[in-house]
Amino acid sequence: MTDPEGTPAPADMSAASAPDASGVTDPATAKPDRRPGGRTARIRAQVLAAVRAELAENGHEGLTMEGVATRAGVHRATVYRRWRDVGGLLVDVIDAAGEIDWQPPDTGSLHGDLTALNEEIQESLTVEPSFAVALMAASFHSERAARAQTRLWEDRYAQCAILVERAAERGELPPGQTDARRLLLAATAPVYHHLVLLRAAPDPRLPEQAATAAVLASAGGAFTARGEGSP
Amino acid sequence: MTDPEGTPAPADMSAASAPDASGVTDPATAKPDRRPGGRTARIRAQVLAAVRAELAENGHEGLTMEGVATRAGVHRATVYRRWRDVGGLLVDVIDAAGEIDWQPPDTGSLHGDLTALNEEIQESLTVEPSFAVALMAASFHSERAARAQTRLWEDRYAQCAILVERAAERGELPPGQTDARRLLLAATAPVYHHLVLLRAAPDPRLPEQAATAAVLASAGGAFTARGEGSP
């Protein structure tokens, strides 16, 4: 989840994305500058960078409109007008994570791809402070943030379906349609479970071990239609 | 996680478990009645039942010492003296869950046992309101609650090691020492991940599918020493 500098404002923010309160533009005549790198995009990037920093440092309980505005160096009135409340900031920072040009790994084998994916997940969950963990904590307390996070996860799993397609083309999967989401869930869930819910110490072997287990299960037909029911 | 009525007060509560403030006993001469079903145990059961109800209805953010005392019908002074603060209530309710006489399933096959375990987990996470989900949310915000929850999880995984031992005795696992925790993590993590972090709609087939995948992976040697490294 790198910085989404220059990404356009999301569509659902359009009603609240007038120029800021500095008086430089006249809202009655001027349109917000939506060019990539333009004023609107720049303010959004500043504000969302501040949200990420505040979340990682203080958690969502310490997130305030005032703290974000101060850290971003943006007028409070702008932050209130464009994001309305802390829930709006959370939703936008999650949406922004979905806008970055993330690409799933492509190592040449399903085992290598799933290991690389798990290592990326483990890194995002163990870096201190972890923005990813702060977002998960926030999603337990904001229904809007939870919905935004669910959309982001499902997008990511959909993007990763290519790993399974490539494995099938290489003949690494048994005949029959493999359910990509189920395979990806099996491969990645142990890493999240171990680190986020069990709060166990990071295990440097777990990303690879969980990938191995998912590959062996898929080779046994666990994620094809025939894999349902008793093995 | 059924009701722990009659369980003894945990050792670390001893300093704060004097008789309550009703004036019935004289703290200078009387000892708290610690017999199972005695006064101390009864008050703890009332208070913890109130904590569970408040957590499930209002989440940990709505949990207050006053609300718990009122619901339990116990003097506020007693609740403050014995549990000190909301963190103390959370820790004790998690510890109490670890004291119940829970037994892992014993269906006669590893696949059946893991499916039954996953169905129990799915039930605890999808019942409305879910005490289990409320506890997980709370553990993101209380370091003490998080540590108590980690202890509970690790106890449960240790208890479930018997499933793997029995499977090995039945010849259901390949030769070599199978790592019970890794197998159990692989079997159960998808259910937690799907419901708690992805917040996806419950899938009645997932408990069995996740069990199948773990059994196939274990048959392939994923959780033995030889299962490490590339498959």
Side-chain angles (χ1 to χ4, degrees):
Chain A
M1 298 197 185
T2 52
D3 197 276
E5 289 277 349
T7 49
D12 65 356
M13 284 290 156
S14 55
S17 58
D20 80 8
S22 62
V24 174
T25 52
D26 174 358
T29 57
K31 282 190 172 180
D33 182 350
R34 293 170 165 287
R35 290 167 302 171
R39 178 180 186 76
T40 299
R42 198 173 63 242
I43 288 174
R44 181 175 181 235
Q46 283 168 241
V47 167
L48 295 190
V51 172
R52 281 187 288 272
E54 294 276 311
L55 267 180
E57 276 178 26
N58 310 318
H60 81 96
E61 284 169 329
L63 195 67
T64 64
M65 300 296 272
E66 288 73 14
V68 166
T70 302
R71 186 166 201 140
V74 169
H75 283 276
R76 283 201 320 178
T78 305
V79 178
Y80 275 103
R81 194 172 55 243
R82 195 155 153 187
W83 287 275
R84 288 196 190 92
D85 54 24
V86 165
L89 288 172
L90 284 170
V91 168
D92 202 24
V93 81
I94 295 168
D95 285 346
E99 292 162 16
I100 63 167
D101 187 28
W102 182 81
Q103 292 293 329
D106 187 5
T107 66
S109 76
L110 181 60
H111 179 262
D113 285 355
L114 295 176
T115 300
L117 183 62
N118 275 346
E119 279 170 351
E120 195 173 323
I121 291 167
Q122 174 138 308
E123 164 74 17
S124 78
L125 298 175
T126 52
V127 66
E128 292 277 0
S130 170
F131 166 63
V133 172
L135 273 191
M136 279 184 239
S139 71
F140 277 101
H141 300 281
S142 161
E143 189 56 41
R144 288 167 63 200
R147 280 199 303 271
Q149 181 147 354
T150 297
R151 279 197 305 273
L152 174 61
W153 289 95
E154 295 299 343
D155 283 355
R156 285 283 192 264
Y157 280 109
Q159 279 180 282
C160 286
I162 186 76
L163 307 191
V164 178
E165 289 167 29
R166 289 193 304 237
E169 286 165 14
R170 285 188 299 253
E172 294 184 70
L173 292 170
Q177 185 69 36
T178 293
D179 184 326
R181 189 181 182 281
R182 275 169 54 203
L183 193 162
L184 292 162
L185 189 69
T188 58
V191 179
Y192 286 106
H193 195 60
H194 181 85
L195 292 170
V196 180
L197 296 180
L198 302 185
R199 289 179 178 74
D203 178 348
R205 298 164 308 171
L206 183 59
E208 192 276 328
Q209 288 174 345
T212 299
V215 169
L216 286 167
S218 68
F223 310 115
T224 62
R226 294 180 308 188
E228 296 181 29
S230 218
Chain B
M1 298 196 184
T2 54
D3 197 276
E5 288 277 350
T7 48
D12 66 356
M13 285 290 155
S14 56
S17 57
D20 80 8
S22 62
V24 175
T25 53
D26 174 358
T29 56
K31 282 192 171 179
D33 182 351
R34 291 170 166 287
R35 290 168 301 171
R39 180 182 183 74
T40 298
R42 199 174 64 242
I43 289 174
R44 181 175 181 235
Q46 284 168 243
V47 167
L48 296 189
V51 173
R52 282 188 286 273
E54 293 276 311
L55 267 180
E57 275 178 27
N58 310 318
H60 80 96
E61 284 169 330
L63 194 67
T64 64
M65 300 296 272
E66 288 72 15
V68 167
T70 302
R71 186 165 202 142
V74 168
H75 283 277
R76 281 200 322 179
T78 305
V79 178
Y80 275 105
R81 195 172 53 241
R82 194 156 153 188
W83 286 276
R84 287 198 191 91
D85 54 25
V86 165
L89 288 172
L90 284 170
V91 168
D92 202 25
V93 81
I94 295 168
D95 285 345
E99 293 161 17
I100 63 166
D101 186 29
W102 183 80
Q103 292 293 331
D106 186 5
T107 65
S109 76
L110 181 60
H111 179 262
D113 287 353
L114 295 175
T115 301
L117 183 63
N118 274 347
E119 279 170 351
E120 195 174 324
I121 291 167
Q122 175 139 307
E123 165 73 17
S124 78
L125 298 175
T126 51
V127 66
E128 292 275 359
S130 170
F131 166 63
V133 172
L135 272 192
M136 279 184 240
S139 70
F140 276 102
H141 299 282
S142 160
E143 190 55 43
R144 288 167 63 199
R147 279 198 304 270
Q149 180 146 352
T150 296
R151 279 197 306 273
L152 174 60
W153 289 96
E154 295 300 343
D155 284 353
R156 284 282 193 265
Y157 279 110
Q159 279 181 282
C160 287
I162 186 76
L163 306 191
V164 178
E165 289 166 29
R166 289 193 304 239
E169 284 164 16
R170 286 188 300 255
E172 293 184 72
L173 293 171
Q177 186 68 37
T178 294
D179 184 325
R181 188 181 182 283
R182 276 167 54 202
L183 193 162
L184 292 162
L185 189 68
T188 59
V191 179
Y192 286 105
H193 195 60
H194 181 84
L195 291 170
V196 180
L197 296 180
L198 302 185
R199 288 179 180 74
D203 177 348
R205 297 165 308 170
L206 183 58
E208 192 276 326
Q209 288 174 345
T212 299
V215 169
L216 287 167
S218 66
F223 310 115
T224 63
R226 294 181 308 190
E228 296 181 29
S230 218

